[in-house]
Amino acid sequence: MLTRAVTANPDQFVSLDARLPDSAGPKPLFGLDREALAARMAEAGEPAWRGRQLAEALYRQRLAEIEQITTLPKTLRQRLGAEGWEVGRPKIVQVFQSVDGTERYLIQGRDGEGQTVEAVWMPEGDGGESGDGSEPDRASIQADGPGEEGASRSWDRATICVSSQVGCAVNCQFCLTARLGLQRNLTAGEIAGQVVAVLDRHSVEVGRDRVNLVFMGMGEPFLNYDSFMGAVKLLVEETGLSPQRMTVSTSGIVPGIERFAQEPDNLRPKLAVSLNAPNDKIRGEIMPINGKWPIEAVLDAVRQVQLRPRERITFEYVLLGGVTDQLQHAREVARLVRRSGLPAKVNLIAWNPGPGIAYNMPAPGAVEGFRATLAAEGIPVYLRRARGRDIYAACGQLKRTVEG
Ligand code: SAH
Ligand code: SF4
């Protein structure tokens, strides 16, 4: 899979509904939480429990049109429509399909915002070697594997990767998303909407199907904290996803990690930190944010997170040929992880190339050498398979082959 795929095959592009919503158009309900929905209902002279019905319809039943919400009386549905309300869930407008089953989506978010948001679906997730930090332990795979109906599907488990911003301000030198700069923050509804739209596309039954969610698409979730956690809250409390099947990845935004450490267990996803280098010198060269929050400051913040039993912090580590992939780097990473005192594992990601980015993929054998060195030092280590490179869906590749 170490081939360089610079352009995606146009035959893999399936164009769906690409019309943009009218910017002066209807008011979306999607993205409002239960309390806000109850307040809308109260304004309409309805009892507050109608808010709960609406939340159920939007986030659990995944209904995309007000007319479908048959728990509401027909007259109320008509009235909401006449008052300019609509479900307004973000829509998948384009699908790119990879030879490996991965799909990348362009999703149209808020009204009047031309730029699409990107999300990725990875069937068969990462088969345990993962790297998304959310692989189940073996026992639970056997205990609640797919049932009989599940056997007819083309996937047994899947991982959904969503974006938190369009573009990113963090400027990691090896990342294609960084080239966009920060275009805008996504709203909680746009973040949760990516998930709900993808669940719907694949007819996922929450509670039965094994779906992991990773906040590892475009953007830095901890620089859009309220929307990110707002989305988590909707997805946990309304859609019914477990925070223990969610992982958020940060480049090391210390104030964000500190806030995250205060989140209650029943809402807090697992945490992955993009370490990416064995020391501050190299990290500072490839991740300028290290100048503001060096490794030790990040680790101090991470240590404030009260982990659940058996939970571990994931350190992501991008292997850049000649820059971070040497065996002495692996030994240094092992020392760093041990010294951190954190229950941790390392997810190795071979760098995915992008146009105009002057790094190299790790040499053949370097990835395995790095992995074996960490393993020999007793560090739990996983390789993240490159998924969907041919459609620009792999880590760090989002947003380039977009809109034309
Ligand atoms: N902004 C957050 C989450 C999105 S990036 C963060 O940086 O953690 C998700 C992961 O992809 C990060 O670990 C990042 O280091 C990695 N990544 C970025 N560009 C990459 C590339 N070109 N190849 C492989 N991994 C990359
Ligand atoms: Fe932003 Fe993450 Fe890319 Fe860095 S790696 S530029 S933080 S998306």
Side-chain angles (χ1 to χ4, degrees):
M1 286 292 286
L2 294 184
T3 51
R4 197 180 170 109
V6 173
T7 47
N9 174 356
D11 292 338
Q12 293 159 330
F13 295 19
V14 186
S15 189
L16 299 179
D17 182 0
R19 283 166 301 172
L20 301 185
D22 175 0
S23 57
K27 303 173 273 189
L29 293 167
F30 196 97
L32 301 180
D33 63 15
R34 194 179 286 203
E35 291 72 35
L37 290 169
R40 288 289 163 284
M41 290 288 95
E43 283 166 15
E46 292 290 325
W49 49 263
R50 292 265 181 235
R52 196 168 64 237
Q53 285 183 322
L54 263 177
E56 168 97 14
L58 300 179
Y59 306 115
R60 198 177 284 262
Q61 298 177 277
R62 307 192 297 242
L63 302 177
E65 304 292 338
I66 287 185
E67 302 79 74
Q68 297 169 333
I69 309 180
T70 51
T71 46
L72 301 184
K74 190 158 188 192
T75 49
L76 176 56
R77 281 179 267 155
Q78 284 168 342
R79 193 142 50 89
L80 284 172
E83 287 169 6
W85 292 99
E86 61 164 16
V87 169
R89 180 174 93 194
K91 270 200 188 68
I92 296 176
V93 291
Q94 198 164 20
V95 180
F96 304 79
Q97 292 175 313
S98 166
V99 291
D100 68 16
T102 299
E103 292 187 343
R104 178 166 67 100
Y105 309 106
L106 304 190
I107 297 178
Q108 182 68 55
R110 216 160 55 193
D111 278 5
E113 298 281 358
Q115 267 158 336
T116 49
V117 167
E118 301 205 19
V120 180
W121 162 264
M122 291 166 278
E124 302 315 315
D126 298 89
E129 74 281 305
S130 171
D132 66 27
S134 52
E135 70 279 11
D137 58 59
R138 300 259 153 230
S140 74
I141 292 179
Q142 279 149 12
D144 66 341
E148 258 165 48
E149 315 95 282
S152 63
R153 295 177 178 262
S154 58
W155 51 276
D156 289 336
R157 58 172 176 269
T159 299
I160 299 173
C161 174
V162 296
S163 299
S164 54
Q165 299 178 311
V166 177
C168 185
V170 179
N171 200 23
C172 303
Q173 300 294 293
F174 49 82
C175 173
L176 205 48
T177 304
R179 298 297 168 97
L180 290 172
L182 176 62
Q183 306 283 317
R184 68 182 177 95
N185 278 328
L186 300 185
T187 62
E190 285 176 309
I191 299 173
Q194 296 168 63
V195 180
V196 174
V198 175
L199 290 175
D200 216 30
R201 174 175 167 84
H202 293 280
S203 307
V204 172
E205 274 187 45
V206 172
R208 187 199 69 172
D209 294 325
R210 309 185 53 82
V211 175
N212 294 323
L213 176 59
V214 299
F215 296 89
M216 298 188 184
M218 268 197 276
E220 170 49 61
F222 285 0
L223 290 179
N224 186 19
Y225 192 89
D226 290 329
S227 295
F228 152 67
M229 266 319 285
V232 168
K233 201 159 181 283
L234 288 175
L235 293 167
V236 170
E237 294 181 345
E238 307 298 348
T239 303
L241 297 174
S242 163
Q244 304 198 52
R245 294 261 178 90
M246 300 179 184
T247 303
V248 59
S249 173
T250 180
S251 55
I253 308 297
V254 165
I257 301 171
E258 288 172 344
R259 273 186 82 180
F260 185 74
Q262 304 302 317
E263 298 293 348
D265 254 19
N266 61 350
L267 276 185
R268 182 178 58 72
K270 296 189 289 183
L271 181 63
V273 175
S274 297
L275 179 62
N276 292 345
N279 55 50
D280 281 321
K281 181 167 183 297
I282 300 178
R283 194 167 188 269
E285 283 160 14
I286 62 175
M287 297 178 71
I289 193 84
N290 196 74
K292 187 158 189 172
W293 293 299
I295 295 171
E296 217 29 70
V298 173
L299 294 179
D300 277 344
V302 172
R303 280 188 283 260
Q304 295 174 24
V305 178
Q306 298 274 314
L307 298 177
R308 304 175 183 92
R310 290 190 308 282
E311 183 180 347
R312 286 182 291 188
I313 296 293
T314 299
F315 288 115
E316 294 159 290
Y317 192 98
V318 177
L319 292 158
L320 292 168
V323 179
T324 61
D325 67 341
Q326 307 295 298
L327 294 185
Q328 83 263 16
H329 298 148
R331 289 188 285 269
E332 213 176 329
V333 168
R335 280 197 297 278
L336 190 157
V337 171
R338 269 198 301 271
R339 218 176 45 233
S340 77
L342 288 161
K345 62 180 169 172
V346 175
N347 281 332
L348 299 176
I349 317 168
W351 179 68
N352 296 305
I357 305 194
Y359 285 105
N360 294 305
M361 290 187 292
V367 176
E368 178 46 28
F370 204 97
R371 190 203 63 76
T373 303
L374 281 179
E377 298 256 2
I379 305 292
V381 54
Y382 299 83
L383 288 184
R384 187 181 296 175
R385 271 187 293 155
R387 301 288 308 264
R389 257 188 198 161
D390 54 339
I391 54 161
Y392 270 87
C395 301
Q397 292 192 311
L398 294 187
K399 197 83 177 185
R400 202 59 183 191
T401 58
V402 188
E403 287 128 313

